[in-house]
Amino acid sequence: MLHEMGLSPLWRLRPQPSPRVSPPAGEVAAEPDRDPQTVGEAAAPAPPTVVPVVPVVPLQAMAGNRLEEIAGMGWAQLRTSVADCRSCGLCQGRRQAVLGVGDPGADWLFIGEGPGAEEDARGEPFVGPAGKLLDAMLAAIDLRRGDDVYIANAVKCRPPNNRTPEAAEIAACAPYLRRQIALLQPRLIVLLGRAAAHALLGEVGSLASLRGRSFDYPAPAGGDSIPVIVSYHPAYLLRTLPDKARAWEDLCRARSLMRAAKAAALACGATTNDPTPR
Ligand code: URA
């Protein structure tokens, strides 16, 4: 699988340090200047900075009752509502809307940008070349699409010519993404690329400035907040091979965060969907 990711010879996972207490919000841990060829051999990842997520999506762009309706939907209603949605211009070019795919009880939520041509045709996220790489990335940390993993996108309809979705399109779709998160209540969210980061974290800087940090997504039902990390989009990685090593570093960090979250939940006596420490 690592070969599929372009990460051969074999990368060995060293014991991961437990997540450290973060510096105060606002203090950004500088991204270490690492040689991608040595990532995985490197000692400790940069100390995560935990930053609360401020919902910056302009909610007033939606009619108030639409927001409330979406916030109260179950999966079946959400699927129908997304399929019929005409809240932005992307609906005009779609064959079908692509809500997401996976285990509704998943601990892991991966969020990409938006459907491409193959996803638009098949109605499932990440089924084209970027999806094949995402599957290989999941396998590299012993995960499988649909098994404790849910995959969604910032926007549910294909942008024309696969362009990056515009801010207004991301804002129009954000209530759906937020409802998905509320229904899933994952233990960890991995944002793949800038559009996904924009959708959840608001206007954001460069991807390099977001990697290596941890963000907090406010718990939908007033429980614990959900840790969020940012990594590269698989389509970018297909074009930029050296950064695959950094993506591997992000996956290792994600895996340690998940292990810590599951251990904390077990210590509190909470149930976990899958106690296997993956
Ligand atoms: N790229 C994405 O961001 N999402 C998909 O579903 C496919 C490609």
Side-chain angles (χ1 to χ4, degrees), residues 46-133:
T49 304
V50 177
V51 182
V53 173
V54 183
V56 294
V57 175
L59 300 182
Q60 64 274 26
M62 315 269 158
N65 58 357
R66 177 175 180 259
L67 286 178
E68 272 173 36
E69 267 173 38
I70 294 174
M73 286 177 181
W75 281 113
Q77 287 169 297
L78 198 59
R79 190 166 289 284
T80 308
S81 178
V82 165
D84 296 339
C85 180
R86 306 200 66 78
S87 296
C88 79
L90 294 185
C91 64
Q92 287 158 7
R94 74 177 174 218
R95 282 202 232 181
Q96 58 188 316
V98 181
L99 175 65
V101 70
D103 178 354
D107 284 326
W108 293 82
L109 171 59
F110 290 80
I111 302 176
E113 182 173 306
E118 290 184 52
E119 291 78 16
D120 179 60
R122 287 178 48 186
E124 179 173 336
F126 282 102
V127 289
K132 292 198 171 54
L133 178 57

Side-chain angles (χ1 to χ4, degrees), residues 107 187 224 257-278:
D107 284 326
R187 288 191 197 283
D224 291 338
L257 286 171
M258 178 60 78
R259 284 179 172 163
K262 286 188 176 180
L266 284 174
C268 296
T271 54
T272 173
N273 298 324
D274 176 5
T276 318
R278 293 191 281 206

Side-chain angles (χ1 to χ4, degrees), residues 168-193:
E169 294 158 353
I170 290 174
C173 236
Y176 288 131
L177 184 60
R178 284 200 288 270
R179 187 60 191 151
Q180 285 178 293
I181 296 171
L183 289 169
L184 289 162
Q185 306 225 10
R187 288 191 197 283
L188 179 69
I189 300 174
V190 182
L191 302 175
L192 301 169

